Amino acid sequence: MFKTLSNIWKVDDLRRRILFTLFILLVYRVGSFVPAPNIDKSRFEDINAQGADLFGLLNTFSGGALFQFSIFALGIMPYITASIIVQLLSMDVIPKFAEWAKEGENGKRKLAQITRYGTVVLGLIQAFATSIGFNNTYQMVINPSFGTYAMIAIVLTAGTAFLMWLGEQITERGIGNGISIIIFAGIVASIPTHIRTIYATEFVDNPDQLFISILKVIAIVVAIVAIIVGVIFVQQGIRKIPVQYAKRVVGRKMYGGQSTHIPLKVNGAGVIPVIFAVSLLFFPITIAQFWADKAWANWIINNMYYDQPLGMVLYVILIIAFTFFYTFVQINPVQMADQMKKNGGYIPGIRPGKPTSSYITRVMSRITLSGALFLAIISVLPVIFGAIAGLPRSVQLGGTSLLIVIGVALDTMKQIESQLIKRHYKGFINK
């Protein structure tokens, strides 16, 4: 491992990409502490004391920026929500979007531009809702008026747009997966806060139950290790479909005849379904903050959160649905079967063409269901156990956070691995 780390710094391009990524993350962390205008910072002591677990998951994703109410308070969630909407509309809902989705790189750029516009619109809506909702609860806005709320909303939306730009810079000039790395950095930055919360809850507030508190902490550590092992096991798991290529003569040369395989991952969507599900689940809660004094809005806020029965069911359904959606967006069985047929390839025992695409679809559906159920279980179980143990909401989200952290870390490691192998250096994975 240490030799691999030293090899990274020997490659000029890779070293520049890693240093650039670290610089962007430093900018992100500094911005998380720059306060939004017209906000009474002293009120946040009361927020942390009274209701710091209200939006614990969103606060974790923003790296603590939400409870600082900084310029990055919204985090990257409006961009994720806009991405979901654009991808759904590209599934033959809007013909123009579907046409762009099939145009390759040029179409992707057009859809990316639409996503950016959608991010700004959703950011403005969420910024207004967040500032109004927080002020209704904590009276933290100085001289509240439409002009004040508009200024706060514009600043928060600009912060989200800037984060979106930072993520794109990491993707283009850094080590890739820019948006995921921004979320990864926010979660990692919140780990010390979670440790302090557990310490205060279990040891400072309950000094008479020291033995039980120690058992709880041991159980948390064991659960974290089990989640890490399980996530790595499933994320690395693949189903190999054998493919045989027929021999063909082109001119004086013979091509094909070799055997290979199609590697289908058990969880081909990675942690994207969890991020999408969280973003979509919290969107109606955020909008309900506009009308926090209404009975129906309070019902949404109290029942749609992921640790409530209805919210938990919706959370599981969204994770499973997005796992299937994102997997089949990335891997198109029909296109894969057509490509194999053009190149003279076939799956032993399966006829080329439609039977091949049907077979691949059937295999993908089975293994994707396993991956989706695993993601849902890992996301929900820590919430259930945390509620039984009486832990705050901000700590109960450990499963979701760990899923994202481990998934992004594995993807980043593979990116670096591929860069090293291209330059004939040994990577992290022993083969």
Side-chain angles (χ1 to χ4, degrees), residues 15-16 38 52 145 185 213 352 384:
R15 183 174 64 248
R16 283 196 300 270
N38 297 312
S145 64
S213 298
I384 297 173

Side-chain angles (χ1 to χ4, degrees), residues 281-303:
L281 188 66
F282 275 89
F283 188 70
I285 299 176
T286 304
I287 298 301
Q289 295 297 314
F290 273 122
W291 300 274
D293 57 337
K294 303 292 185 181
W296 62 268
N298 286 325
W299 185 89
I300 291 176
I301 294 170
N302 294 329
N303 290 279

Side-chain angles (χ1 to χ4, degrees), residues 174-376:
I175 56 178
N177 296 328
I179 300 301
S180 297
I181 287 179
I182 292 288
I183 297 175
F184 171 90
I187 294 174
V188 171
S190 299
I191 290 176
T193 303
H194 295 335
I195 294 174
R196 287 196 299 269
T197 301
I198 293 175
Y199 177 78
T201 303
E202 299 300 328
F203 295 99
V204 177
D205 296 342
N206 298 304
D208 298 332
Q209 299 180 353
L210 182 61
F211 180 72
I212 296 177
S213 298
I214 292 174
L215 289 180
K216 284 185 180 180
V217 171
I218 293 174
I220 291 172
V221 172
V222 171
I224 290 173
V225 172
I227 290 173
I228 292 173
V229 173
V231 171
I232 293 175
F233 180 77
V234 173
Q235 291 287 82
Q236 300 294 94
I238 60 172
R239 165 73 184 275
K240 296 181 180 180
I241 297 180
V243 177
Q244 181 71 38
Y245 283 92
K247 294 181 180 180
R248 54 195 178 97
V249 179
V250 179
R252 295 183 178 181
K253 294 184 178 180
M254 181 176 291
Y255 295 91
Q258 76 271 22
S259 298
T260 182
H261 65 268
I262 302 173
L264 296 179
K265 297 185 69 174
V266 175
N267 179 23
V271 296
I272 297 297
V274 178
I275 299 174
F276 279 10
V278 169
S279 179
L280 214 58
L281 188 66
F282 275 89
F283 188 70
I285 299 176
T286 304
I287 298 301
Q289 295 297 314
F290 273 122
W291 300 274
D293 57 337
K294 303 292 185 181
W296 62 268
N298 286 325
W299 185 89
I300 291 176
I301 294 170
N302 294 329
N303 290 279
M304 294 288 284
Y305 204 80
Y306 65 90
D307 64 352
Q308 301 300 316
L310 176 60
M312 188 175 292
V313 170
L314 291 176
Y315 188 35
V316 169
I317 291 174
L318 286 172
I319 289 175
I320 294 174
F322 277 124
T323 302
F324 275 90
F325 169 74
Y326 202 77
T327 300
F328 280 87
V329 164
Q330 287 185 309
I331 304 172
N332 189 322
V334 176
Q335 291 181 355
M336 188 181 294
D338 289 343
Q339 194 66 31
M340 288 171 52
K341 187 176 180 180
K342 289 177 183 177
N343 294 323
Y346 62 94
I347 298 173
I350 307 294
R351 294 179 60 186
K354 188 175 180 181
T356 297
S357 66
S358 299
Y359 176 77
I360 295 174
T361 301
R362 187 165 64 251
V363 173
M364 282 180 59
S365 299
R366 289 176 179 175
I367 63 175
T368 301
L369 178 61
S370 303
L373 291 175
F374 172 79
L375 286 179

Side-chain angles (χ1 to χ4, degrees), residues 4 14 50 60 102 139-140 162 175 271 293 343 346 378 382 384 419:
T4 302
L14 189 55
Q50 299 172 15
T60 297
K102 298 174 184 176
Q139 294 78 47
M140 65 181 189
F162 183 63
I175 56 178
V271 296
D293 57 337
N343 294 323
Y346 62 94
I378 291 296
I384 297 173
Q419 294 287 335

